[in-house]
Amino acid sequence: MPAVSVSRADGSPWGPTAPAVIDLQGVGFGYTPDAPVLADITLSLAAGSVVGIVGPSGCGKSTLLSLLAGLRRPTSGSLERRTDVADRHPLSMVFQKDTVLPWKTVVENAGLYATFRGRRRAAEDGEPPGPRVRRLLEMAHLSEVADAYPYQLSGGMRRRLAFVTAVAPGPQILLLDEPFSSVDEPTRIGIHQDVFAITRGMGMTTVLVTHDLAEAITLCDRVLILSRGPSRIAHEHRIDFGPERDMLRLRGTPTYQAAYADLWRDLSAEIAASSAAAAG
Amino acid sequence: MTATTADRMTGRVWAGRLAVLAVGLAAWQFLPQVEWLRERATVFDPFFVSSPSRVAERLWELCVGSGPDGVSVWPVLVQTLVATFAGVIIGTVLGGLAGVVLSSSIPASRILGPFVAFFNAMPRIALVPIFVILAGPTTTATVLTAVAVIFFLVFYNAFAGGRSVPPEVVQSTRLLGASPRSVMFRVRLPYVAVWTLAALPNAISFGLVAVVTAEILTGRVGMGRLLLNSISTADATLTFAVVFLLAVVGVVLVSASDLVSRRALHWWENS
């Protein structure tokens, strides 16, 4: 099945005119040779773009993300990541599961990259780690708990911390695997505002895997819908809400409602096809 | 529950404990004095069960060295404690290291797994004769016995700790730039430390038991030999005094190790 583009508007400021940093050509993957999970994924991500990936449960969204992270290798096709900006960390990932280190305080977790890279090398990456981490904690509303241990934080704060830990090295590519699925809706909207500000502010090419269409619409420039397995990109939607977004107000606008309806129409068709295949 | 109610509850609990203790000591002291009971059951014969007052008196003599044999318990207790601490430190370090190494290497854990299970199933006290042949009836032999007991106790905890490291944590730190060495020392080891320290109170109490048993078997100076002396002279009072001292030492050591664990793991929500 060829990829179907359902572009809703042209001229996005994060459009494909910028040099691509992630390029997938006919990528396929299977945990065993006779059970492919992904088939023929062709995808180009421009520098600084934010792309959402949604699809039926078990369609291989997280697997696709692990291929992008280099945690697995494609079984067919080619995958190229160009992270050649010398003074920027190449790639970070926020996992669905909690990855904060329980024996480190909030500020120590956030500055973890400097520990691993060596403080001197981390400082050579431009801004020294201390002020950068402090500023990010402030942006993520974690300054007041900077010296607390993770067990003293709420679920939402822990997710914010996991996010700050991943973005602190200033990665060129940021991968988000359902990072906020475990927090309640009001908290999630607050986190979205911070995530939007930080990813856009730092110009990170971001791939977000999510089950939450509202999350995909409010944070991304493009949303890809995967088909049932072996998955392909079945639909692509462009989201043009611009570089300034008020997450709470946005959800009440007709354009948001229209984007949601469009995405839901295509996603529900894929879910129905997936259910039908599973049943019969 | 208000603070006053909680205080009252604590007061009642303590009063209950003291009452149980008083009844138990009174029964021990006075029941053997009832001739009818003494004639019908050896458990009420003071020769076999002594009495709290005589045990207390013997304890005092042991503490100040004023007994008929002039024995002071302190140098003997120090011998046992030194062997216990040495066994705990060596056994914990070796068991912790073996646990972390095997848990991070699937081939190593597969190859060595059956051997570890075999040695763990073996009654380690039965190895004392080998340790005595190796090291003679020395403190080294008692320490080796304690190490053999503690090693496996700590090893299994450390192994479980190493296996409990979430793969996402390892992947996340690797993507943040951590080398395999950094992952080992900065991620795996702290997880293992939690489980190893959790095993410390058990390691200490098992270590103390192992050392005393080894002292009984080797005849090496220590609380074990004091116990052996009391058995060979059929001195029930001394036996109870030594057992009481060992129990107090055990409780103090386990409480201290619990405190150390809590302090060291203050960041752990279950600490």
Side-chain angles (χ1 to χ4, degrees), chain A residues 7-278:
Chain A
S7 178
R8 293 184 62 250
D10 294 320
S12 163
W14 308 284
T17 49
V21 291
I22 297 179
D23 196 37
L24 285 80
Q25 295 295 327
V27 163
F29 178 82
Y31 292 97
T32 55
D34 52 344
V37 178
L38 301 171
D40 195 24
I41 301 277
T42 295
L43 172 65
S44 224
L45 269 71
S49 65
V50 181
V51 174
I53 297 175
V54 296
S57 284
C59 71
K61 303 183 291 291
S62 295
T63 304
L64 177 58
L65 217 54
S66 68
L67 294 180
L68 294 177
L71 300 173
R72 300 181 198 283
R73 289 178 182 280
T75 45
S76 61
S78 71
L79 189 157
E80 191 185 358
R81 282 195 322 254
R82 284 197 297 277
T83 51
D84 43 12
V85 182
D87 62 350
R88 294 264 308 252
H89 185 72
L91 184 146
S92 291
M93 184 163 171
V94 182
F95 292 80
Q96 190 178 356
K97 289 188 181 166
D98 199 5
T99 55
V100 296
L101 300 182
W103 58 91
K104 290 194 176 285
T105 62
V106 167
V107 68
E108 287 167 349
N109 263 292
L112 211 53
Y113 77 99
T115 316
F116 293 140
R117 302 194 74 197
R119 296 214 162 259
R120 200 165 56 88
R121 248 189 85 195
E124 283 168 5
D125 289 352
E127 192 179 357
R132 181 197 285 184
V133 166
R134 292 277 173 193
R135 202 176 63 246
L136 280 168
L137 289 178
E138 200 173 315
M139 289 176 81
H141 302 98
L142 290 170
S143 290
E144 289 185 3
V145 290
D147 296 321
Y149 284 93
Y151 82 92
Q152 297 169 308
L153 305 179
S154 67
M157 283 175 165
R158 284 176 84 114
R159 296 318 296 161
R160 284 176 193 270
L161 176 57
F163 176 75
V164 168
T165 303
V167 299
Q172 295 170 63
I173 297 172
L174 177 67
L175 305 176
L176 306 170
D177 188 5
E178 299 184 43
F180 315 117
S181 58
S182 60
V183 294
D184 59 86
E185 186 73 5
T187 307
R188 195 153 61 221
I189 293 171
I191 295 176
H192 287 164
Q193 195 68 60
D194 300 336
V195 168
F196 186 80
I198 292 170
T199 51
R200 305 290 169 152
M202 295 175 82
M204 287 176 277
T205 304
T206 306
V207 182
L208 165 71
V209 160
T210 181
H211 280 292
D212 181 359
L213 287 188
E215 184 170 79
I217 293 168
T218 51
L219 289 177
C220 301
D221 310 321
R222 284 157 74 196
V223 179
L224 310 175
I225 300 175
L226 295 189
S227 66
R228 66 184 173 86
S231 299
R232 294 173 172 82
I233 296 172
H235 308 273
E236 180 177 342
H237 290 246
R238 283 192 179 277
I239 310 291
D240 294 305
F241 292 135
E244 301 289 332
R245 298 183 192 182
D246 181 329
M247 298 297 159
L248 262 180
R249 266 194 18 184
L250 188 61
R251 288 171 179 238
T253 61
T255 44
Y256 168 88
Q257 307 287 348
Y260 195 101
D262 281 355
L263 265 174
W264 178 243
R265 184 195 63 226
D266 290 340
L267 179 60
S268 59
E270 291 305 324
I271 292 171
S274 177
S275 303

Side-chain angles (χ1 to χ4, degrees), chain B residues 80-81 83-85 88 125 128 142 145-147 149-150 201-217 223-224 227 246-247 249-250 253-254:
Chain B
T80 301
L81 287 179
T84 304
F85 282 129
V88 167
I125 297 298
V128 173
T142 55
T145 310
V147 169
V149 170
I150 293 163
N202 267 349
I204 286 182
S205 58
F206 276 86
L208 188 60
V209 170
V211 165
V212 170
T213 310
E215 284 168 352
I216 290 173
L217 294 173
M223 296 299 276
L227 210 51
L246 283 173
V249 167
L253 289 182
V254 169

Side-chain angles (χ1 to χ4, degrees), chain A residues 69-72 89-93 95-104 109 112-113 115-117 149-151 158 165-167 169 175, chain B residues 165-179 182-183 185-192 194 264-271:
Chain A
L71 300 173
R72 300 181 198 283
H89 185 72
L91 184 146
S92 291
M93 184 163 171
F95 292 80
Q96 190 178 356
K97 289 188 181 166
D98 199 5
T99 55
V100 296
L101 300 182
W103 58 91
K104 290 194 176 285
N109 263 292
L112 211 53
Y113 77 99
T115 316
F116 293 140
R117 302 194 74 197
Y149 284 93
Y151 82 92
R158 284 176 84 114
T165 303
V167 299
L175 305 176
Chain B
V165 182
E168 293 82 7
V169 170
V170 174
Q171 289 169 346
S172 169
T173 47
R174 290 283 285 145
L175 290 173
L176 281 173
S179 64
S182 287
V183 170
F185 285 99
R186 294 175 188 273
V187 179
R188 282 192 187 280
L189 268 183
Y191 269 98
V192 169
V194 174
L265 304 176
H266 63 94
W267 44 267
W268 189 254
E269 55 192 316
N270 299 322
S271 66

